[in-house]
Amino acid sequence: DTEVTQTPKHLVMGMTNKKSLKCEQHMGHRAMYWYKQKAKKPPELMFVYSYEKLSINESVPSRFSPECPNSSLLNLHLHALQPEDSALYLCASSQPPRRGGTWGAFFGQGTRLTVV
Amino acid sequence: AQSVTQPDIHITVSEGASLELRCNYSYGATPYLFWYVQSPGQGLQLLLKYFSGDTLVQGIKGFEAEFKRSQSSFNLRKPSVHWSDAAEYFCAVVFPMDSNYQLIWGAGTKLIIKP
C-alpha cells in the first residue's frame, strides 16, 4: 500500500468556521508533512512531524493548527481562516531522513479548500 | 543561494512525439533529485528519483531522467507521449546538508499534448 489518503477532497468554509483536514498513511512512515499549494505554483511546506513530534513549523499563522495523534494520522485544524487561505492542501509522508539511505516523499490527492 | 530552475513554463508536444523537460539546480555538491507529476486538481505523484550511482534513472509511466553533473541538470524524458501525460511536472531537490531533507521545488512545467 503506497497511498496517502486525505479527507475531505473538497471543503468550503466560512471565515468563522472551524474545520479539520485529515491525512492517513499505512506505509509505516514516521515523517508526515503538510503543504499548501496555490494555483500554478509549487507546494509550500507548512509543517513537518517526525516520530509524532512537530519538527518544522514554517512560520505558519496560528489559525492553522497541526496535530499528529499517532504515526499513521495527521490532522490540520482550521479556524478563522481568510479568503487568501483558499488553496490545495497536500499531505505527504516519508521515512525520516537517514544518511546513506534513499528517501522519497509520497503525497496524497489533496483537499481543495475554499474560504468564503 | 540554492535553487532549482525549470526554464520552460509550458511545453506543447504532439501525441506520440518525444519529450524532454529541463531541470537545473544551483548548488556546490550533488543534491538528491526528484521529478513529480501533478494532474489537474490532483496530488503529486513521484515519477523517479536519483540519489547516486547510474546517472540514467528509470521511473514509472515510461519516464526516465538523466543526471549530468557537469551541467547541473536532471532532465526528464519520454520517447513517446500519450494524451494522459498532460499535467504539471515539478523537479525538486534535497540538499544533503539539510538534515530535514526539505524539498526545494522548481516552478513547474505544464505539458500540453496536441492530438
Side-chain angles (χ1 to χ4, degrees):
Chain A
D1 183 0
T2 58
E3 280 196 357
V4 177
T5 304
Q6 290 187 243
T7 55
K9 289 188 173 11
H10 301 274
L11 179 62
V12 179
M13 60 185 290
M15 290 188 283
T16 58
N17 291 160
K18 284 186 180 180
K19 297 286 184 182
S20 296
L21 309 185
K22 296 186 183 303
C23 174
E24 187 170 8
Q25 58 88 14
H26 294 289
M27 294 178 277
H29 290 165
R30 301 305 299 274
M32 296 186 77
Y33 310 77
W34 280 115
Y35 285 84
K36 173 183 177 181
Q37 187 181 27
K38 302 286 272 186
K40 303 185 189 302
K41 297 290 187 184
E44 301 171 37
L45 183 64
M46 301 174 72
F47 302 104
V48 180
Y49 274 82
S50 183
Y51 295 99
E52 296 88 70
K53 290 190 182 344
L54 184 65
S55 61
I56 294 178
N57 176 340
E58 291 286 6
S59 303
V60 179
S62 59
R63 57 186 184 268
F64 296 91
S65 175
E67 179 196 19
C68 189
N70 60 54
S71 59
S72 300
L73 293 174
L74 184 67
N75 299 321
L76 186 63
H77 304 297
L78 313 173
H79 174 54
L81 294 193
Q82 303 297 309
E84 59 265 29
D85 296 321
S86 299
L88 182 68
Y89 287 83
L90 293 161
C91 174
S93 73
S94 73
Q95 289 296 3
R98 180 173 62 85
R99 288 249 179 264
T102 63
W103 178 90
F106 294 86
F107 284 79
Q109 294 299 295
T111 294
R112 175 72 59 189
L113 174 66
T114 303
V115 182
V116 297
Chain B
Q2 301 157 348
S3 64
V4 180
T5 302
Q6 292 180 249
D8 303 304
I9 297 173
H10 51 79
I11 280 184
T12 301
V13 176
S14 296
E15 190 170 14
S18 63
L19 169 71
E20 183 170 34
L21 301 182
R22 295 182 291 165
C23 174
N24 294 91
Y25 62 88
S26 171
Y27 183 58
T30 300
Y32 304 143
L33 299 148
F34 306 83
W35 275 100
Y36 283 86
V37 61
Q38 186 174 34
S39 297
Q42 300 295 310
L44 291 147
Q45 185 177 23
L46 180 62
L47 285 175
L48 45 75
K49 59 186 178 183
Y50 173 79
F51 273 65
S52 64
D54 192 343
T55 56
L56 186 62
V57 181
Q58 301 298 319
I60 62 171
K61 301 176 184 270
F63 285 92
E64 66 178 26
E66 185 172 13
F67 167 59
K68 291 186 176 180
R69 187 189 309 273
S70 61
Q71 298 177 19
S72 299
S73 69
F74 189 55
N75 294 349
L76 183 71
R77 301 195 295 244
K78 187 170 185 178
S80 175
V81 298
H82 185 261
W83 64 266
S84 60
D85 293 324
E88 189 85 22
Y89 290 78
F90 290 98
C91 179
V93 308
V94 163
F95 295 106
M97 296 308 294
D98 176 3
S99 59
N100 290 311
Y101 277 30
Q102 286 201 46
L103 284 161
I104 309 298
W105 298 88
T109 298
K110 183 175 181 178
L111 176 62
I112 301 164
I113 306 295
K114 284 194 302 185

